[in-house]
Amino acid sequence: MSEHTITVAGVAIDTRHWIGGERVASTQTFPDVSPIDGSTIGDICRGTAMEAAAAVAAAKAAFPAWAATPRAERARILHAIADGVEKRIEELAIVETTDNGALLRSHRRGVMPRVAHNFRFFADWLLSLEHEDFETRGHTNHVSWDPAGPCVLITPWNAPLMLATWKVAPALAAGDTVVLKPAEWSPLTASLLADIAAEAGLPAGVLNVVQGYGSEIGDALTSHPDVRRISFTGSVPTAKRIAESAAANLTPLSLELGGKSPLLVFADADLDLAVDLAVEQYDNAGQVCLAGTRLLVEEAVAEEFTRRFVQKASTLKQGDPRDEAIDIGPNIHPRQLEKIDGFVQRAVAAGARAVIGGQRGDGQYYAPTLLTDVAQDSEIVQEEVFGPVLTLQTFTDEEEAVRLANGTRFGLAATVFTGDPDRAERVTARLVAGTVWVNCFFVRDLQAPFGGSRLSGVGREGGTWSFDFYCDVKNTVTAPSGWRNHG
Ligand code: NAD
């Protein structure tokens, strides 16, 4: 173990960058703090433009060989990475929980298995990726997906490894090489992924990981002329900065951003189901981009819905996310907690009523909060809080429901509870959202498109959409034999 190794629950983690198949240190570090108890987990290498350039150079050097690697071999290595993830699920789960405070039980049983599945899914999808050739005036059109080049992948802290691999897996499958920059509040599992990929036989330089503050290393990555794709998940203000920086080289961008998604409950809905899934919006302490944070409930059932919601929410246990009995863990950072509380206190000052919550708990915990008496154009209804804070508004008919649902600048997701299939069809057709759930929540197949409309993002990923993004799609038109151009 080097002086750069830290251990979390017995798991050794290298705190350096991973560039060109080697661990590389920086002269400076930044502290990685656990949201569970505010303790410093370790000091992580703090990348600068120099490490950014070295990582892109490594990705560029590794690109030709990886792009030329037969699809079956690329798929085999991706499956080997998935095997490595599966072997280390317990380790990855405890490290991620310590680092970002999300529930250990969901990391163990949902998130980390899904990380492995990300690699398996895109490996298999790669092998099935074919368009039928087609003909134009006797000429054959053949469509192929050519690897694009080095990609910069930048990820947030709320689901660090899950969101990273949602980008890394399709990029590697496509034959691209990667520089991954995880969030500075949750840098650890990206380092473990580098170990797992190396053990799986991924050649040096195909996956590189650089650590550091986005404000210090980000621009050097996103403005680099050798980078052929940038995929970013995070906030709208950062996305705007990245888009400006990428504009210098017209680097294609995929942006998965924030949301303020509506959850509509019609009077004809199964109210117990609607309440159960509405309370689930507090998952991960509300730090979920897709969360349906605006409850829109038909007037006729609003009182009953609220009563059952409050009852159900009161059973939630908040505390140490390593405890299997806990439902809600801490928020990521004191700064985030302050931001959440600022939103709530301003809403209350503007006339909102906290039916439950409305204040901080001990440490880095915020009480699950439901605010009523909120105006459609108020800050609390319009802006993403990214904490355990929901608003409740009522509507009297479908027209008003759709107007309120679509009445923000976001368009990531929407959820509709109704017992009437015709209504479901009418309403979902009118909602502006990348994903709409009817009488369910959070279920998603990796073949399906995922992304946001309006300020919630640019582009779609998943299945073929991912390959369309990570590849230079090419059409090769071949003349029939003996063909001559006679004008
Ligand atoms: P953020 O924008 O602050 O940071 C995201 C990443 O960008 C981090 O790695 C950060 O270091 C990096 N970064 C910061 N400045 C940069 C710069 N100038 N250049 C390049 N990189 C830079 O977001 P966050 O607070 O980490 O994440 C929360 C946000 O992410 C929320 O808005 C949430 O809705 C969104 N999110 C969206 C999805 C989705 O799929 N749509 C999923 C999860 C989270």
Side-chain angles (χ1 to χ4, degrees):
M1 266 203 269
S2 85
E3 56 174 312
H4 297 285
T5 306
I6 57 171
T7 56
V8 173
V11 183
I13 305 160
D14 202 303
T15 58
R16 291 170 292 182
H17 316 284
W18 174 250
I19 298 176
E22 284 177 10
R23 289 289 173 182
V24 175
S26 294
T27 47
Q28 287 192 304
T29 60
F30 66 93
D32 181 30
V33 175
S34 175
I36 299 175
D37 54 10
S39 63
T40 298
I41 305 171
D43 293 317
I44 312 296
C45 280
R46 182 170 166 177
T48 63
M50 196 172 79
E51 289 85 358
V56 174
K60 186 181 179 187
F63 175 69
W66 182 243
T69 300
R71 284 182 178 194
E73 176 61 5
R74 293 207 300 260
R76 188 191 66 74
I77 294 177
L78 291 194
H79 276 294
I81 297 175
D83 293 342
V85 169
E86 277 166 2
K87 260 191 241 140
R88 299 187 71 178
I89 278 182
E90 279 299 310
E91 296 181 13
L92 291 166
I94 185 65
V95 170
E96 196 85 294
T97 290
T98 309
D99 211 11
N100 88 335
L103 296 185
L104 181 59
R105 67 165 196 244
S106 50
H107 281 150
R108 269 186 180 142
R109 293 199 275 278
V111 177
M112 295 309 164
R114 181 77 178 222
V115 164
H117 180 62
N118 284 345
F119 285 102
R120 296 204 192 285
F121 171 85
F122 284 108
D124 292 343
W125 196 263
L126 167 70
L127 298 181
S128 67
L129 200 61
E130 280 315 335
H131 269 310
E132 301 255 315
D133 288 355
F134 53 95
E135 267 192 29
T136 309
R137 286 184 276 131
H139 296 55
T140 308
N141 290 245
H142 175 73
V143 178
S144 57
W145 282 264
D146 292 358
C151 302
V152 162
L153 311 179
I154 301 176
T155 49
W157 43 264
N158 63 322
L161 193 58
M162 165 65 207
L163 291 171
T165 55
W166 170 240
K167 300 176 188 305
V168 170
L172 297 185
D176 294 344
T177 52
V178 160
V179 178
L180 170 64
K181 211 299 279 170
E184 51 271 38
W185 286 348
S186 59
L188 301 181
T189 47
S191 181
L192 293 177
L193 178 65
D195 293 342
I196 291 169
E199 281 159 23
L202 191 72
V206 175
L207 169 68
N208 304 277
V209 177
V210 288
Q211 305 282 9
Y213 292 117
S215 54
E216 293 179 355
I217 191 172
D219 192 51
L221 292 169
T222 54
S223 65
H224 200 296
D226 291 333
V227 170
R228 295 314 316 138
R229 295 289 185 277
I230 298 167
S231 181
F232 169 75
T233 299
S235 65
V236 172
T238 307
K240 290 182 180 175
R241 277 198 290 276
I242 290 176
E244 272 174 32
S245 166
N249 304 298
L250 290 181
T251 311
L253 280 173
S254 163
L255 303 174
E256 302 284 1
L257 311 178
K260 194 72 189 176
S261 300
L263 185 151
L264 295 85
V265 182
F266 286 92
D268 57 18
D270 173 339
L271 220 52
D272 283 332
L273 175 70
V275 165
D276 271 4
L277 294 184
V279 170
E280 270 191 25
Q281 309 307 313
Y282 291 131
D283 252 16
N284 203 7
Q287 301 166 135
V288 176
C289 57
L290 294 163
T293 51
R294 292 185 296 130
L295 310 183
L296 305 177
V297 185
E298 190 164 347
E299 185 73 51
V301 293
E303 208 178 305
E304 180 59 13
F305 175 90
T306 309
R307 190 185 65 73
R308 293 196 213 178
F309 179 94
V310 170
Q311 195 175 31
K312 175 93 189 167
S314 69
T315 66
L316 295 173
K317 292 190 204 64
Q318 197 164 23
D320 190 324
R322 294 167 294 195
D323 180 341
E324 286 267 331
I326 289 297
D327 303 301
I328 304 184
N331 287 99
I332 185 78
H333 195 274
R335 225 161 55 215
Q336 186 67 15
L337 205 66
E338 235 165 71
K339 196 177 135 202
I340 296 166
D341 197 44
F343 274 118
V344 171
Q345 299 321 323
R346 287 193 297 278
V348 169
R353 187 168 71 88
V355 179
I356 57 170
Q359 75 284 320
R360 294 167 187 232
D362 293 336
Q364 234 160 263
Y365 294 82
Y366 204 86
T369 296
L370 178 67
L371 299 172
T372 58
D373 303 324
V374 291
Q376 178 66 15
D377 61 357
S378 62
E379 180 192 55
I380 196 70
V381 170
Q382 293 295 324
E383 299 298 329
E384 184 185 48
V385 175
F386 225 53
V389 178
L390 309 180
T391 57
L392 189 149
Q393 297 167 271
T394 60
F395 61 84
T396 52
D397 58 18
E398 239 173 74
E399 197 57 35
E400 188 182 16
V402 170
R403 183 172 57 74
L404 294 176
N406 286 341
T408 73
R409 297 173 305 154
F410 296 100
L412 191 56
T415 305
V416 181
F417 291 97
T418 174
D420 178 352
D422 293 336
R423 187 201 296 279
E425 211 176 306
R426 280 194 306 275
V427 171
T428 57
R430 296 177 64 194
L431 291 174
V432 180
T435 303
V436 182
W437 285 288
V438 179
N439 297 326
C440 59
F441 180 64
F442 224 68
V443 183
R444 189 162 59 80
D445 194 290
L446 286 181
Q447 305 181 47
F450 174 76
S453 304
R454 299 178 174 161
L455 278 191
S456 290
V458 174
R460 296 290 183 273
E461 292 186 85
T464 311
W465 289 272
S466 288
F467 285 94
D468 283 353
F469 175 72
Y470 287 111
C471 293
D472 286 329
V473 182
K474 181 197 282 170
N475 182 24
T476 304
V477 184
T478 306
S481 80
W483 184 82
R484 291 284 174 279
N485 188 5
H486 297 305

